[in-house]
Amino acid sequence: MRFQVLGPLAATVALPSAAQPRRLLALLLARPNEVVGRATIVDELWPEGAPPSAAAIVQVTVSKLRKAVSPGLAADDPGQRLKSGPRGYVLRVAEGELDAAEFVALASAGLAAEDTQAKQELLTRALACWRGGAFCDVATGPLVEAHEVWLEDRRRTVLLQLVELQLAEGDGQAVVHRLAAVVAARPADERLAGRLAGALEGLGRRDAALDVLRRTRRALWDEAGVVPGPELDALYRRIAGAEWTAGGPPAQLPAPVPDFTGRATELAAVARHLRAPAPVVVHGAAGAGKSALAVQAAWRARRRFPDGQLVADLAATEPRDVLIAFLRALGAATAELTGDLTALVAAWRSHTVDLRLLVLLENARTEARVRPLLPSGSGCGVLVTARWPLPGLAAARPVPVGDLSTADSAALLTAVAGEARIAAEPAAADEVVARCAGLPLALRIAGLRLATRPHLRITDLATRLGDDRRALDELAAGDVSVRAAILPALRECSAEDRDLLRLLGLFRRPVPDWCAAALLAVRPAEARDRLEALADTHLLAADDHGRHAVPRFVRLGLARLPGELDQAALKRALEATLALAERVLSVLDKGFIPAGPPFAQSDAGAVRTATADPDAWRRRETELVATAARLAGRHHWHALAARLSDACAALAGTPWLGRSARAVSVVGLAAARRLGDRPAEAGKLFTLASVHWQLGRSRQARTYFAMAGTRFKTLGDPRGRGAALVAMADLDADAGQAELAVEELREALELLRACGDVRGQAIAAAQFGGLSEDLGDLRRAVESFEAALLLAGDCAGRWHDQVAKRYADVLRRHGRTDRAADLLTGALGGAVRTRERHWEAHVLRSLGDLHTDAGEVAEGERCLTRSLDLFEQIGHRHAAAYTHRSLAETRLRAADPAGAQQHLRRAMAVFRDLHDRRGTGYALLSLGKLQAGAGEAPKALAGAADVFRDLGFPLWELRALRELNAASSDSPAGDRAREVLAKIRI
């Protein structure tokens, strides 16, 4: 199959002739192998507004297209190219099937190549992919149009690079052959015309060169209303030996930014809106690059406005003065320039009624300053830049300019600082990009600092930008600074709005309207109005859930302005956060009991929304509760901090791997100590230990578990003491202290039996079963797990599933796959029902291992890939490393040693980083198999045996030795295996 979009839309199959299927195919080919949402398709097919039957039309269109691209295949056939899903549709396109992808790959390789010959060959091949204009026979919508603009820009860049190479080699004839038709079709392209004229001159064809330059000059005047630039002007003077004369319509556009980056979607939107006479308002935060975008868009659109382009800065000039300057540029008589504003407006409208004029008005503060300057001609275009959308302008088309994406931010920093500079410290450059928070002005200044200070390390700049106290001082270059851009917008705010922004900025994350309502002591609807008004000025940023956050540089700018923090308002918001979090917990866990009466009453509407889908609220707002806990601790509201810390831990569940996990645990512990609450202190020590454990910090976890256990023992709390001993046993077993782990588990079981903690006994028994297998006592392992299952049968939810999963791993390793499969199937169903993504990932890993051992490699890889995805979404790199190790085993079974090695490298890096000896042993065991299969000396198997011997795990040591014995005739390995076998009890 072959698809072609670089010219008329075509494929190696017959495509539908109707417009809609072709437009849909164009959209899917603009985003191949990506899910395109139904709403996106509707917006693309009907950019001016969809009919009521749009959804049905899309289904019919998809059906027609599916039959064309996969003839004879059903919709659910595995070979079907056009797949549908709950989120939309995806068109599967393999490598080498799409000419645009081939062009981009060749272009990127060619532009990056250092060898001149290779570069020229790659660029020539890239241009050969084109058969005409991209999507030239398809009526495109906004997304495809943006992609088309990007492809055409890329094509022009490749053409220029190739021409430059040919000129450097003195091959003027090749340049003429390549550019003659292009310049004839696009005579107003100054750079291409200049290269063609230069090549013609080099071939001795002076008259032909001058003819090209004259045609270009005429096209610029007639089609775009601008004069040739200095480069073309100098070229004409050199070839003709004479000057060009100026004249023609006004051409006041400033030069575009040479390193303009990104904004393809916004440029396409401006271009589309400029086709109508209504003003286009480009609005965004200070420093967002509104002017750069507007100028870039104006240059691209200028050919459609041959009567000229006029520019005014409304921040520095009154409307009357602007009109006088505009009228003078249009050749108005002196008598017309002396009237009052009303007379000037009348004259302006008379002069523009039949013109095709582009007017760029920068830094508009109000609609009143723009209205007198709007031309009357329907062929005119008006482009306005402002900090807010100016909704009062009749029929205005707003184009918001938000933060740059991470990729575009990196591209802008590279364009300004230089590729070599960034390539020297790529990780530090990523830090600079992150700390510039997508603000183009900040990125440009950071790039200028690097470009002008070659001895400034990017790492040092990143460190300075990460310090809130000096970031604004660093982001200044000459007379340009982020502070100078941000502070005027803040000073224009009322004192009340600045106070609200200051409070919201403390959270450093999106804040929901009910929390803002508590800050303001008003109803959520009133708070929402205030937040949306500030969002319109781009001093707040709204997320997809309607929450609002203070951008980083706005927050830093507020610190430089006078004002006091309303601590009473902050405390109200924190209390409201606690109240709603505890209401959600009471729904999620029927046994949840708050530590005391509520500090505040929750808003009824917020409660209804949160409790309608408490799990979604938990996922969305746990970090808000964490922030509230830290703020309460910082302001010494100890009782509030302790409750918030508990609520946060309960909402996060296990594992708690968020950025704030350790900080919130420390806040809760400090609060408990300040309050003198010894039981709470013991519990929070246990929570802090669990956080360290989940993050792979075994030494710190062991210390805190021991401290918690001591506190529980002093308090006479056998349940807490038993839980701490069980956790310490797991850590001690992994550290090679197997005998100590056994004693800890025995003591824990006695304590948990005495206090009747069935769930704790089940966990301890399962732990004992796993340790018994490691120690080679298989009979005791089975007995312990069977007892754990019986105990866990009385426990609701995940506890039984966890025991079942661990037991299934043991059964699988010893050939009892049917029982293992039953246990894992039940455990997976329980994890899905309770939405425990972390536990679902663990069970999927075990299922993947089970399928792999059974020779069902594809199914095993499917389970393991899903497990890895879940762990990576959660951020559990330690657990993900174990899944990488399992995937390596799958790849070994599939005879893919390179894939296996890649997974093992990732796993081993994490195990060594976290000092996980057990995991290292597992990875070495797999690596040894890989070495043996490749015919190499299986040194890793000996290393694995040594690790398991040090840990005191004879069964695992025996597995490593048997693999070693099978791979070589080394008799010591066999003797050692017999010695280890004697230690194993069956």
Side-chain angles (χ1 to χ4, degrees):
M1 178 72 75
R2 177 75 172 171
F3 295 100
Q4 294 177 299
V5 299
L6 303 181
L9 186 64
T12 51
V13 294
L15 296 178
S17 58
Q20 292 291 56
R22 294 177 66 82
R23 294 180 69 185
L24 175 60
L25 178 60
L27 173 60
L28 295 173
L29 289 174
R31 294 170 63 176
N33 301 312
E34 293 182 27
V35 175
V36 181
R38 291 175 176 82
T40 300
I41 292 173
V42 169
D43 291 341
E44 185 74 6
L45 297 183
W46 296 279
E48 300 301 328
S53 58
I57 296 174
V58 168
Q59 289 182 344
V60 172
T61 303
V62 168
S63 178
K64 290 180 180 178
L65 188 57
R66 182 179 282 134
K67 292 175 182 177
V69 299
S70 296
L73 296 183
D76 57 352
D77 191 284
Q80 176 60 245
R81 285 181 174 272
L82 181 47
K83 295 281 189 178
S84 61
R87 294 188 297 116
Y89 303 95
V90 59
L91 180 64
R92 294 189 297 106
V93 179
E95 184 176 352
E97 291 186 338
L98 179 60
D99 60 354
E102 181 182 359
F103 162 72
V104 171
L106 289 168
S108 299
L111 294 172
E114 295 183 0
D115 179 72
T116 302
Q117 186 62 34
K119 189 183 191 79
Q120 188 165 329
E121 290 176 2
L122 287 167
L123 294 179
T124 301
R125 288 172 58 196
L127 289 174
C129 296
W130 289 77
R131 301 170 296 111
F135 303 98
C136 63
D137 65 340
V138 180
T140 58
L143 280 176
V144 177
E145 185 175 355
H147 188 56
E148 174 189 344
V149 168
W150 183 82
L151 285 171
E152 292 288 355
D153 282 352
R154 195 74 170 165
R155 177 189 189 184
R156 182 174 180 273
T157 299
V158 169
L159 179 59
L160 278 169
Q161 285 281 322
L162 180 57
V163 166
E164 296 285 1
L165 289 173
Q166 292 173 334
L167 285 173
E169 293 177 355
D171 192 358
Q173 190 62 51
V175 173
V176 172
H177 177 74
R178 186 170 295 279
L179 287 185
V182 176
V183 173
R186 299 165 59 185
D189 191 319
E190 293 186 66
R191 296 187 69 185
L192 294 178
R195 301 305 183 272
L196 176 59
L200 288 167
E201 182 201 21
L203 294 172
R205 299 171 60 185
R206 177 177 176 275
D207 291 339
L210 290 175
D211 186 58
V212 167
L213 293 175
R214 292 188 184 107
R215 285 203 312 270
T216 298
R217 178 176 183 264
R218 187 164 55 251
L220 289 169
W221 284 117
D222 296 343
E223 299 174 19
V226 294
V227 297
E231 180 181 350
L232 215 62
D233 187 48
L235 182 61
Y236 181 85
R237 287 199 307 271
R238 181 167 61 78
I239 297 174
E243 294 283 345
W244 253 337
T245 58
Q252 298 180 358
L253 290 179
V257 175
D259 45 24
F260 184 85
T261 302
R263 304 294 193 198
T265 300
E266 291 87 345
L267 285 169
V270 173
R272 186 169 63 255
H273 293 326
L274 278 176
R275 293 170 186 160
V280 181
V281 181
V282 177
H283 63 95
K290 302 181 293 295
S291 292
L293 171 65
V295 169
Q296 189 79 15
W299 274 95
R300 295 187 178 199
R302 71 190 187 280
R303 295 173 184 170
R304 292 195 281 110
F305 302 99
D307 293 314
Q309 302 88 43
L310 297 170
V311 179
D313 184 351
L314 302 188
T317 316
E318 292 298 319
R320 184 179 186 279
D321 297 326
V322 172
L323 286 172
I324 290 173
F326 281 0
L327 288 166
R328 182 177 288 119
L330 293 177
T334 303
E336 294 181 281
L337 309 179
T338 57
D340 58 12
L341 181 60
T342 302
L344 290 169
V345 169
W348 166 245
R349 290 172 179 169
S350 296
H351 274 273
T352 58
V353 67
D354 293 319
L355 294 183
R356 294 171 62 193
L357 191 69
L358 178 60
V359 179
L360 173 58
L361 304 173
E362 298 219 59
N363 300 312
R365 295 182 181 177
T366 65
E367 294 91 338
R369 294 178 68 85
V370 174
R371 288 192 189 99
L373 307 177
L374 299 177
S376 60
S378 60
C380 295
V382 179
L383 196 50
V384 184
T385 66
R387 282 205 295 266
W388 44 86
L390 302 179
L393 282 181
R397 305 296 181 92
V399 177
V401 182
D403 297 336
L404 282 176
S405 67
T406 300
D408 284 344
S409 295
L412 177 56
L413 183 68
T414 302
V416 180
E419 291 186 13
R421 194 85 158 86
I422 299 303
E425 298 179 75
D430 290 342
E431 286 292 318
V432 171
V433 166
R435 287 164 184 173
C436 287
L439 189 72
L441 179 61
L443 290 159
R444 187 171 296 282
I445 293 173
L448 288 170
R449 295 285 301 276
L450 295 172
T452 57
R453 300 184 182 184
H455 302 297
L456 174 62
R457 296 176 64 238
I458 303 181
T459 301
D460 293 338
L461 179 60
T463 301
R464 296 175 191 177
L465 293 178
D467 184 349
D468 284 354
R469 294 167 299 180
R470 63 184 301 179
L472 289 179
D473 295 327
E474 292 296 324
L475 291 173
D479 60 353
V480 179
S481 72
V482 171
R483 180 189 292 111
I486 295 291
L487 290 185
L490 289 172
R491 290 192 178 104
E492 290 176 8
C493 284
S494 66
E496 292 78 8
D497 280 344
R498 283 198 297 272
D499 290 342
L500 175 57
L501 289 169
R502 188 172 281 109
L503 286 166
L504 293 171
L506 291 175
F507 289 84
R508 300 196 181 192
R509 58 167 291 102
V511 175
D513 53 7
W514 55 262
C515 185
L519 284 171
L520 294 167
V522 299
R523 292 178 301 175
E526 295 177 57
R528 197 177 303 119
D529 290 342
R530 286 279 299 276
L531 296 174
E532 289 175 354
L534 285 169
D536 284 343
T537 66
H538 296 278
L539 294 174
L540 277 180
D543 69 4
D544 294 339
H545 299 287
R547 302 174 299 180
H548 291 81
V550 179
R552 183 189 186 211
F553 295 115
V554 172
R555 176 171 54 81
L556 298 183
L558 283 167
R560 305 300 179 99
L561 296 177
E564 294 185 2
L565 186 69
D566 187 343
Q567 295 205 15
L570 177 61
K571 192 172 185 182
R572 282 196 307 271
L574 303 188
E575 290 172 347
T577 302
L578 174 63
L580 192 52
E582 290 184 339
R583 286 294 297 271
V584 170
L585 284 169
S586 69
V587 177
L588 290 168
D589 182 1
K590 300 302 182 184
F592 172 77
I593 301 175
F599 286 92
Q601 292 298 319
S602 301
D603 174 75
V607 170
R608 282 194 301 273
T609 301
T611 56
D613 190 351
D615 197 63
W617 193 94
R618 172 175 62 183
R619 291 193 302 271
R620 190 169 60 245
E621 303 298 1
T622 295
E623 282 299 320
L624 174 68
V625 181
T627 300
R630 294 201 303 271
L631 287 171
R634 189 185 307 164
H635 288 81
H636 309 294
W637 298 322
H638 304 304
L640 183 57
R643 291 265 294 273
L644 282 165
S645 174
D646 287 340
C648 194
L651 286 168
T654 302
W656 186 12
L657 299 168
R659 293 174 300 173
S660 53
R662 179 180 173 278
V664 173
S665 301
V666 170
V667 164
L669 177 60
R673 285 176 173 169
R674 292 293 182 91
L675 293 169
D677 188 341
R678 305 293 287 174
E681 180 184 349
K684 287 176 171 56
L685 280 168
F686 190 93
T687 299
L688 182 57
S690 299
V691 169
H692 280 293
W693 191 8
Q694 295 294 346
L695 292 172
R697 299 168 181 162
S698 302
R699 182 176 59 81
Q700 297 94 324
R702 179 65 171 76
T703 299
Y704 285 114
F705 277 129
M707 292 173 65
T710 301
R711 299 289 197 283
F712 285 129
K713 186 175 183 179
T714 303
L715 293 167
D717 183 349
R719 178 180 281 104
R721 170 73 175 163
L725 284 168
V726 170
M728 288 191 292
D730 199 7
L731 290 165
D732 289 335
D734 284 347
Q737 301 291 323
E739 293 182 2
L740 176 58
V742 169
E743 292 304 315
E744 288 166 336
L745 286 172
R746 285 175 174 161
E747 182 183 352
L749 280 167
E750 290 178 7
L751 289 167
L752 295 167
R753 286 192 193 105
C755 69
D757 184 353
V758 177
R759 187 180 74 184
Q761 291 175 64
I763 296 171
Q767 187 85 333
F768 199 80
L771 180 58
S772 297
E773 189 213 9
D774 288 335
L775 295 174
D777 193 338
L778 301 183
R779 185 187 51 152
R780 176 167 291 173
V782 171
E783 291 173 350
S784 298
F785 274 114
E786 291 291 349
L789 278 179
L790 289 172
L791 289 164
D794 297 329
C795 304
R798 59 181 174 173
W799 308 109
H800 181 276
D801 297 333
Q802 290 185 19
V803 172
K805 184 267 179 192
R806 297 188 66 178
Y807 190 17
D809 287 339
V810 174
L811 294 171
R812 172 183 59 80
R813 286 192 287 267
H814 296 282
R816 297 178 61 183
T817 54
D818 290 344
R819 179 83 189 282
D822 291 341
L823 290 171
L824 289 174
T825 301
L828 181 62
V832 172
R833 281 192 302 275
T834 58
R835 299 184 181 182
E836 294 275 355
R837 291 193 305 153
H838 164 253
W839 196 243
E840 180 185 350
H842 278 293
V843 178
L844 282 168
R845 183 172 65 212
S846 295
L847 272 172
D849 291 338
L850 182 69
H851 284 296
T852 301
D853 287 352
E856 300 164 352
V857 176
E859 186 62 20
E861 188 163 18
R862 187 188 69 80
C863 292
L864 291 169
T865 301
R866 174 61 179 159
S867 169
L868 183 61
D869 289 343
L870 287 170
F871 281 134
E872 289 180 342
Q873 289 172 25
I874 298 166
H876 200 334
R877 61 191 290 258
H878 194 191
Y882 278 89
T883 304
H884 274 300
R885 184 258 175 183
S886 293
L887 278 166
E889 288 287 327
T890 305
R891 289 290 85 210
L892 280 173
R893 292 289 187 98
D896 178 16
Q901 191 168 40
Q902 184 179 15
H903 284 295
L904 284 174
R905 276 201 301 267
R906 294 180 180 178
M908 190 70 79
V910 175
F911 293 146
R912 287 174 174 166
D913 185 39
L914 299 178
H915 308 290
D916 182 351
R917 298 170 67 199
R918 180 196 293 263
T920 300
Y922 293 161
L924 286 171
L925 185 58
S926 297
L927 181 59
K929 295 178 188 177
L930 179 64
Q931 292 171 338
E936 303 173 10
K939 297 178 182 179
L941 289 173
D946 291 341
V947 169
F948 291 131
R949 188 171 201 172
D950 291 343
L951 288 171
F953 295 169
L955 198 61
W956 284 101
E957 182 185 358
L958 180 62
R959 288 181 177 127
L961 291 172
R962 281 180 172 172
E963 292 287 346
L964 183 60
N965 201 39
S968 68
S969 58
D970 186 4
S971 58
D975 295 341
R976 185 171 163 188
R978 286 188 288 275
E979 175 189 333
V980 174
L981 186 60
K983 300 178 183 179
I984 297 174
R985 298 170 60 187
I986 302 175

